Amino acid sequence: MREYDLIIIGGGASGIICAIEAYKKGIKNILLIEKDNVLGGSLNLSYYNISKQRYITGKTYEKFLLKELEKCEIDIKLDTMVIKIEDENKILCTNPANGIEKIKGKNIILANGAKEGSRKALDMVGDRCSGILTVGMANKILNMGNIVPGKNILIYDKKTLYMIKDELKNRNINVVGIISKDSDVDTYGLTDKVYNNYEIDSIYGEGRIESVKLVKDDKEEIVKCDTLIFARPMLSDGLVAMRSNIKLNPSTTGPEVNDKFMTSMDNVYACGNGIYIHEYIEDIEDECKKLVDNLL
């Protein structure tokens, strides 16, 4: 079984930063594991500002990080899914090349990042039709070139709408309305129609979504649309932690950590959006540096 001084699970912003910082601080035997076939995580589709000190898009920041990573001698496993962390810091993982294997780490960092809330998290009924997307999926479609997610779009919530607002404007896509619980809603100039405190009751459509029934107290409204996008808050991804019997923080859905960023499992740490959603990249950078210092 291969052993490493440090194994980092997750090749997004926090995972790459931790790997670079650890290498610079003298930890040389490092493995970075990523479930996708490329590094970068959500940075790959982040064409919006992620900084509080300067204007820098996630995509630009990703290029900077990957250049820094190239200067480090760090082993990287792509297309590798971590199933769980077992006793004695043994990671059970699988990939197409090696099948199921175990790798041991003196220290392990969970940098799983975040996931999106979707229709499944809401109490609603309706037809199983296409055209129902998360912001992340809509963002992927918008970045394919001349493809758009839909022509008449209804948006539920607005917590992650900032990720695609510019593309929606640039493509002159008709946003038929935004459903929000906030009384003061910034629509980013996408629409004048806000369905305040309405909830989705039903979704209708044959093949593709055709309309949505909204309810508020004793009021009902039928909104015609060909696309419904969920812009719900991001949630910390605690799946690997849960499978490993690591204690979770119920308020964030990610692993619970102490002031040293250690989880309930000895020598297993966590940081970044995997423990709570960070607004700016500088906060993630500071956190990753502090975590690495705790390993020395």
Side-chain angles (χ1 to χ4, degrees):
M1 182 190 306
R2 182 70 189 271
E3 294 189 20
Y4 286 88
D5 292 328
L6 175 62
I7 298 177
I8 301 165
I9 301 172
S14 57
I16 298 174
I17 294 169
C18 282
I20 294 169
E21 285 297 316
Y23 184 81
K24 288 180 177 179
K25 294 290 178 65
I27 302 175
K28 299 302 181 185
N29 193 18
I30 303 171
L31 172 64
L32 179 61
I33 299 177
E34 168 56 39
K35 67 180 184 297
D36 292 330
N37 60 3
V38 294
L39 295 174
S42 62
L43 294 177
N44 284 299
L45 291 171
S46 300
Y47 292 91
Y48 49 87
N49 184 38
I50 61 172
S51 172
K52 63 181 174 183
Q53 298 175 354
R54 61 198 187 280
Y55 182 86
I56 181 170
T57 67
K59 191 65 179 174
T60 301
Y61 187 72
E62 177 199 23
K63 292 178 181 177
F64 162 75
L65 282 184
L66 293 181
K67 285 183 180 179
E68 291 297 305
L69 187 64
E70 288 177 0
K71 303 173 185 177
C72 308
E73 295 180 11
I74 293 172
D75 288 350
I76 298 172
K77 276 184 175 290
L78 300 176
D79 278 325
T80 302
M81 178 69 69
V82 172
I83 300 171
K84 62 178 179 177
I85 303 170
E86 299 181 335
D87 293 339
E88 300 178 343
N89 281 15
K90 295 175 182 176
I91 293 175
L92 181 66
C93 58
T94 181
N95 62 45
N98 302 320
I100 295 177
E101 62 179 330
K102 288 185 180 181
I103 311 168
K104 186 174 182 179
K106 181 180 177 182
N107 290 297
I108 297 171
I109 296 175
L110 292 170
N112 299 105
K115 58 187 177 181
E116 291 184 278
S118 65
R119 172 185 180 178
K120 292 181 180 179
L122 300 176
D123 183 18
M124 66 180 69
V125 297
D127 298 325
R128 292 179 176 271
C129 44
S130 65
I132 303 172
L133 310 169
T134 63
V135 161
M137 182 55 66
N139 197 16
K140 289 180 180 179
I141 294 171
L142 288 164
N143 283 284
M144 287 179 180
N146 294 322
I147 302 175
V148 295
K151 296 180 179 178
N152 299 292
I153 296 177
L154 177 65
I155 299 171
Y156 182 94
D157 213 338
K158 61 172 291 293
K159 298 298 189 299
T160 54
L161 183 55
Y162 65 90
M163 296 181 181
I164 59 172
K165 63 180 178 64
D166 291 335
E167 281 297 315
L168 292 176
K169 282 183 181 179
N170 294 339
R171 304 292 185 89
N172 294 316
I173 294 172
N174 181 34
V175 176
V176 299
I178 296 175
I179 307 163
S180 177
K181 295 184 185 302
D182 298 330
S183 56
D184 185 18
V185 181
D186 183 358
T187 65
Y188 302 112
L190 294 170
T191 181
D192 293 328
K193 187 65 175 177
V194 176
Y195 296 96
N196 187 242
N197 286 321
Y198 276 84
E199 286 293 341
I200 297 175
D201 180 78
S202 303
I203 297 173
Y204 306 109
E206 295 184 10
R208 189 176 181 92
I209 185 172
E210 297 170 0
S211 63
V212 174
K213 182 167 82 171
L214 305 181
V215 296
K216 176 183 177 182
D217 300 326
D218 57 348
K219 299 178 183 177
E220 290 186 1
E221 288 211 38
I222 301 294
V223 181
K224 294 187 178 298
C225 60
D226 60 25
T227 306
L228 173 62
I229 294 178
F230 287 93
R232 305 193 68 227
M234 300 293 287
L235 301 171
S236 296
D237 189 349
L239 185 58
V240 173
M242 181 185 69
R243 290 173 179 160
S244 307
N245 292 320
I246 291 172
K247 186 177 181 181
L248 299 182
N249 183 340
S251 65
T252 68
T253 70
E256 185 175 283
V257 297
N258 62 18
D259 58 353
K260 301 290 186 182
F261 299 101
M262 187 183 289
T263 69
S264 60
M265 185 177 287
D266 287 344
N267 298 324
V268 177
Y269 300 79
C271 67
N273 286 337
I275 57 174
Y276 71 92
I277 305 305
H278 297 63
E279 187 172 358
Y280 300 111
I281 193 62
E282 288 87 355
D283 298 327
I284 292 178
E285 290 174 336
D286 291 343
E287 192 172 274
C288 293
K289 291 174 183 177
K290 290 176 182 176
L291 191 162
V292 170
D293 286 340
N294 291 329
L295 303 179
L296 303 176

